């Protein structure tokens, strides 16, 4: 084989390695330049944040409203008592779920996570957040309600459920954070907590009454 042919083959072999070397280097190198994208598709398009103007739509709103008459998948709630805490325009006064030890234990756990920081473990509005706010004395803190106040005790369970769902006064809504089943569990535990602070000896089983002095 002529020497010049060998030289050409060596050069071609070296050139054939260059693309792989460039790819290897590119995979390990950071660059502020955008990557090469031959087929754009939807890879390069405007980005809008909430409350911005979007000229694509006739109303120029970037936040699109929900289509009228539609319900998100898995969010169809045809039982108002269970989903909202009221039925026939009135707050429900009976639990639409079965109240048992499992539900109360779940409610106690969820109450400890979401409610006790402000309302306290005993429900008297003396949670760690409330105590810290009182210590700061900034003048803007509104103390949380005691769950044992007469006005709170008189509220139907549906009202308590709605308060957890949508908030009340300075208390924020927890409907987006706590599923409906857990909200009912919290309501059940709140009722048990209230009963524990306002129970009479006659409410105890006969075998325990003798132990109360």
């Amino acid at each position: 084989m002529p020497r010049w042919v060998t030289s050409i083959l060596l050069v071609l072999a070296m050139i054939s390695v260059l693309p792989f070397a460039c790819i290897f280097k590119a995979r390990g190198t950071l660059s502020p330049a955008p990557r090469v994208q031959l087929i754009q598709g939807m890879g390069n398009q405007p980005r809008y944040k909430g409350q911005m103007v979007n000229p694509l739509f006739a109303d120029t709103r970037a936040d699109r409203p929900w289509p009228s008459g539609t319900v998100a998948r898995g969010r169809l709630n045809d039982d108002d008592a269970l989903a909202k805490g009221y039925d026939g325009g009135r707050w429900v006064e009976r639990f639409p779920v079965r109240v048992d030890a499992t539900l109360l234990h779940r409610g106690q756990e969820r109450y400890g996570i979401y409610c006790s920081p402000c309302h306290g473990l005993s429900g008297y509005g003396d949670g760690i957040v409330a105590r810290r706010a009182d210590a700061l004395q900034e003048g803007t803190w509104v103390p949380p309600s005691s769950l044992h106040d007469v006005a709170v005790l008189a509220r139907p369970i549906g009202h308590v459920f709605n308060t957890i769902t949508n908030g009340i006064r300075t208390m924020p809504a927890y409907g987006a954070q706590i599923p409906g089943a857990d909200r009912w569990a919290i309501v059940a535990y709140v009722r048990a907590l209230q009963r524990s602070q306002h129970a009479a000896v006659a409410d105890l089983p006969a075998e325990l009454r003798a132990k109360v002095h």
Side-chain angles (χ1 to χ4, degrees):
M1 181 181 296
R3 186 171 182 179
W4 64 270
V5 175
T6 304
S7 300
I8 292 175
L9 292 176
L10 289 174
V11 171
L12 292 175
M14 294 177 62
I15 293 175
S16 66
V17 176
L18 287 178
F20 298 100
C22 292
I23 293 173
F24 180 79
K25 181 178 182 300
R27 290 181 62 85
T29 303
L30 298 178
S31 173
R35 62 188 179 88
V36 177
Q37 187 174 356
L38 298 179
I39 302 176
Q40 288 294 313
M42 297 179 64
N44 186 13
Q45 60 180 343
R47 177 177 178 271
Y48 297 94
K49 295 183 179 180
Q51 307 299 323
M52 291 181 64
V53 174
N54 186 348
L56 178 64
F57 301 102
D59 59 7
T60 69
R61 290 191 296 175
D63 299 302
R64 305 312 306 153
W66 290 355
S68 177
T70 60
V71 178
R73 181 176 296 178
R75 296 296 183 89
L76 178 60
N77 297 314
D78 54 359
D79 187 342
D80 285 343
L82 180 64
K84 301 178 181 179
Y86 61 81
D87 188 19
R90 301 183 62 181
W91 299 119
V92 297
E93 298 186 7
R94 297 177 63 88
F95 281 94
V97 297
R98 180 182 178 184
V99 179
D100 53 18
T102 301
L103 186 75
L104 290 174
H105 285 308
R106 178 66 176 178
Q108 181 181 26
E109 179 194 33
R110 298 292 95 180
Y111 177 92
I113 294 172
Y114 294 102
C115 311
S116 66
C118 288
H119 290 284
L121 291 173
S122 58
Y124 283 99
D126 55 354
I128 188 172
V129 172
R131 295 200 303 269
R132 175 61 174 166
D134 288 338
L136 292 176
Q137 291 293 318
E138 294 180 342
T140 58
W141 173 252
V142 178
S145 300
S146 169
L147 301 179
H148 307 290
D149 287 344
V150 176
V152 179
L153 289 171
R155 291 171 183 167
I157 57 175
H159 188 290
V160 181
F161 180 85
N162 179 75
T163 298
I164 299 172
T165 304
N166 300 308
I168 186 172
R169 293 186 292 277
T170 56
M171 173 181 164
Y174 286 89
Q177 302 178 50
I178 309 177
D182 283 346
R183 275 175 266 153
W184 280 118
I186 292 175
V187 174
Y189 179 72
V190 167
R191 277 292 188 254
L193 191 63
Q194 292 170 332
R195 185 66 180 271
S196 71
Q197 301 299 302
H198 299 84
V201 176
D203 295 326
L204 295 174
E207 62 273 14
L208 296 179
R209 295 175 189 173
K211 299 181 181 179
V212 179
H213 300 286

